[in-house]
Amino acid sequence: MQQSQKLDGLQIARAVAALSIAYFHSWHVTMLFPTGTSYPIPILRDYGWIAVDFFFAISGFVICLVTTSPHFAPLPFLIRRIFRLYPLWIATSFVFLELTRFLGRNERQTDAFFNWSLTLLPTEGFPFYDLGWSLQHEMAFYVLAAVTVPLFGLRGLIAALIAGLVAHHSMMLPWYFEQFFSYYGNFLAGIMAYLTYQRASRFGVVIPVLICAALFFVLPFGRATYPIPLYFALIAFLNIPAKSQIGVALGDASYSIYLIHPLVFAFIYIRLQPPLPPEWMQEPLRFGAMAATCLIGLLSWRLYEKPMMRLGDSIIGFVAGWWAARRQPA
């Protein structure tokens, strides 16, 4: 499998994950209408949430690509991750903070809690802008990879994740360890996909999809079973035979779509005041909100995310140049 095709498959997987999560939350757009009058897609309505777990599996694969590079260095890696996650997280958090003037706040959503949530450090329960819980897991995983891989290689990262899973299932832990360790299996699914995707490529797309569908019944048995279908789903996307320009573009914008879609839905909810539109308008309204999210996400990727990532690269270049100059003999 060529590198470009592999990355195309990952980007399409990101796009599907982001859109699935957005659709799962799209009930916010129709919640003011009478119950039972909308017609959502059943599988996305009931199981779209597992796309967040799929994002974790994708991260496991991507971290393998990055950390096994001969040019991998922990500090530049972490700086890039910081400039990948934090700028958009902070911007969307402030937009959500403004929206709470109209939506109201719960008792936890204080200004002090907002400031703490911006750091993506652990919170017992959701952060101020609740989608940030998954970013907390992402950052913790990045730090774990940056510490373990340079010292012990990819095997060390796998061992650390397995140790966390064993601890989660065998002992009482403080809430922050319990919170993080419970998702380690999803990252492992991505790592296993990285280690086996070349051999698994002979199965193409159809067989992994059928296996994933057959394993879908394990979801009610708990999070410990999720990595199995997630592994096969990721293998299927990695083996997508043809490039989809729209899929790749939406994959590039998937982080923006993920963080922006609740803001779009909340804005529509605030603007929907009685008298409501006819009930038949619910599905056009839902898909219109999804389309607006995709458009804003694409603009956010091009006009905000990419410049922030370039800024991170510039800082890495400056630090590397400064360090090299200091090491030169006088």
Side-chain angles (χ1 to χ4, degrees):
M1 183 186 303
Q2 295 181 350
Q3 180 84 350
S4 60
Q5 180 182 335
K6 176 178 59 184
L7 295 178
D8 284 350
L10 282 176
Q11 293 304 86
I12 294 169
R14 283 190 173 112
V16 170
L19 293 174
S20 297
I21 297 164
Y23 191 91
F24 176 71
H25 290 145
S26 65
W27 61 270
H28 290 87
V29 176
T30 63
M31 63 186 298
L32 291 178
F33 290 87
T35 303
T37 58
S38 63
Y39 297 91
I41 301 171
I43 192 170
L44 292 178
R45 177 197 61 199
D46 298 334
Y47 294 104
W49 49 266
I50 200 175
V52 178
D53 297 86
F54 191 40
F55 265 130
F56 293 154
I58 294 170
S59 291
F61 189 98
V62 171
I63 289 305
C64 290
L65 287 177
V66 174
T67 58
T68 56
S69 167
H71 305 294
F72 172 73
L75 182 59
F77 164 75
L78 287 175
I79 292 174
R80 286 191 177 95
R81 293 296 92 189
I82 287 170
F83 276 87
R84 181 73 179 93
L85 291 188
Y86 277 90
L88 187 63
W89 162 245
I90 292 171
T92 52
S93 292
F94 273 100
V95 174
F96 181 72
L97 177 67
E98 182 65 20
L99 288 176
T100 59
R101 293 175 53 196
F102 306 96
L103 298 171
R105 297 186 187 182
N106 60 44
E107 64 278 2
R108 297 180 71 240
Q109 290 177 319
T110 63
D111 290 342
F113 186 61
F114 173 80
N115 293 331
W116 177 264
S117 296
L118 290 180
T119 68
L120 291 179
L121 292 171
T123 54
E124 191 170 5
F126 291 131
F128 191 100
Y129 183 28
D130 53 5
L131 261 66
W133 74 269
S134 63
L135 307 186
Q136 293 172 341
H137 287 270
E138 294 279 2
M139 278 305 304
F141 177 59
Y142 297 155
V143 172
L144 179 65
V147 171
T148 57
V149 172
L151 295 175
F152 307 108
L154 196 56
R155 291 181 179 178
L157 178 59
I158 294 171
L161 293 173
I162 292 175
L165 280 175
V166 171
H168 167 64
H169 290 290
S170 62
M171 62 184 69
M172 294 293 294
L173 297 168
W175 63 264
Y176 40 88
F177 288 137
E178 183 75 17
Q179 181 171 288
F180 288 128
F181 291 173
S182 63
Y183 288 88
Y184 274 8
N186 299 328
F187 294 111
L188 274 172
I191 295 174
M192 292 302 105
Y194 173 81
L195 294 174
T196 61
Y197 75 90
Q198 290 183 330
R199 295 178 183 176
S201 63
R202 67 179 181 271
F203 297 115
V205 175
V206 176
I207 292 177
V209 166
L210 292 176
I211 295 174
C212 181
L215 290 169
F216 202 74
F217 74 92
V218 304
L219 297 184
F221 292 94
R223 191 165 302 282
T225 63
Y226 296 0
I228 306 171
L230 292 177
Y231 166 83
F232 286 104
L234 188 50
I235 290 295
F237 277 103
L238 290 168
N239 287 312
I240 289 177
K243 179 178 179 180
S244 168
Q245 292 184 347
I246 295 176
V248 171
L250 290 174
D252 289 337
S254 59
Y255 182 49
S256 285
I257 292 171
Y258 177 68
L259 282 182
I260 289 171
H261 79 267
L263 308 179
V264 174
F265 296 169
F267 177 79
I268 293 173
Y269 169 80
I270 292 168
R271 297 290 296 177
L272 273 179
Q273 298 296 329
L276 296 175
E279 291 179 0
W280 63 265
M281 281 292 296
Q282 291 180 80
E283 295 311 313
L285 188 63
R286 185 197 307 272
F287 283 98
M290 294 279 292
T293 297
C294 290
L295 178 59
I296 297 171
L298 290 167
L299 292 173
S300 171
W301 160 251
R302 182 172 182 177
L303 302 177
Y304 187 66
E305 284 193 75
K306 288 179 71 174
M308 289 296 102
M309 294 165 65
R310 286 196 294 267
L311 176 60
D313 288 337
S314 298
I315 291 174
I316 292 170
F318 173 80
V319 171
W322 173 81
W323 181 250
R326 282 181 59 88
R327 297 187 64 183
Q328 288 181 353

